[in-house]
Amino acid sequence: MNLKLKALTKSIFVYHAATSPCNNCDIEILDCLTPRYDLERFGIVLVGSVRHADCLLVTGVPNYKTGPRLKKLYEQASKPCVVIAVGACSCSRHMFKDSYNSPGPVDSYIPVNAYVPGCPPRPEAIIMGVVKLISKLTGKK
């Protein structure tokens, strides 16, 4: 296993990229950081700069304005960088699939490693998605 990927599973620095969300997913992500759910017990910390991030957490539907910026954020992140799409909008464009302003979901711009569906996804689902991604990176079942 790549040494960088193994280190990535111990302490994940997450950058939250909001691509025009309705803020319901953002509230659930912040709820994961409260003492009730305590996402930091897995070593996950939100960071303010994408250059320090190991993981990109994407919410919302990329549109013509935010799509190229999301691609640029992914290029600026340190490699390897894992991407988690949170919410039905970022996974499949959900109710915006027929919109003129949303050309595609997140995976049409950048590669996505984990999907957390739901509108909005519950904090338990977000935590389960992160834990499954960590176990996928370590090679455990």
Side-chain angles (χ1 to χ4, degrees), residues 12-76:
I12 302 175
F13 284 12
V14 177
Y15 181 78
H16 178 210
T19 57
S20 62
C22 66
N23 289 336
N24 285 332
C25 294
D26 301 337
I27 291 169
E28 297 298 327
I29 289 169
L30 291 177
D31 196 20
C32 288
L33 297 171
T34 62
R36 181 174 182 178
Y37 295 103
D38 193 24
L39 197 57
E40 291 180 358
R41 70 177 175 236
F42 300 112
I44 298 168
V45 180
L46 284 179
V47 293
S49 172
V50 73
R51 295 178 192 266
H52 299 146
D54 301 315
C55 176
L56 203 58
L57 195 68
V58 183
T59 58
V61 181
N63 53 32
Y64 288 111
K65 192 178 207 180
T66 60
R69 291 180 180 156
L70 178 64
K71 194 178 233 181
K72 190 171 184 177
L73 279 175
Y74 181 73
E75 290 168 0
Q76 289 176 353

Side-chain angles (χ1 to χ4, degrees), residues 55-58 81-87 90-91 106-107 111-117 125-126 128-134 136-137:
C55 176
L56 203 58
L57 195 68
V58 183
C81 179
V82 294
V83 178
I84 302 174
V86 177
S90 62
C91 293
V106 173
D107 58 4
V112 176
N113 299 92
Y115 296 93
V116 181
I126 296 171
M128 186 172 60
V130 170
V131 169
K132 283 188 177 183
L133 180 64
I134 291 172
K136 180 181 169 184
L137 290 175

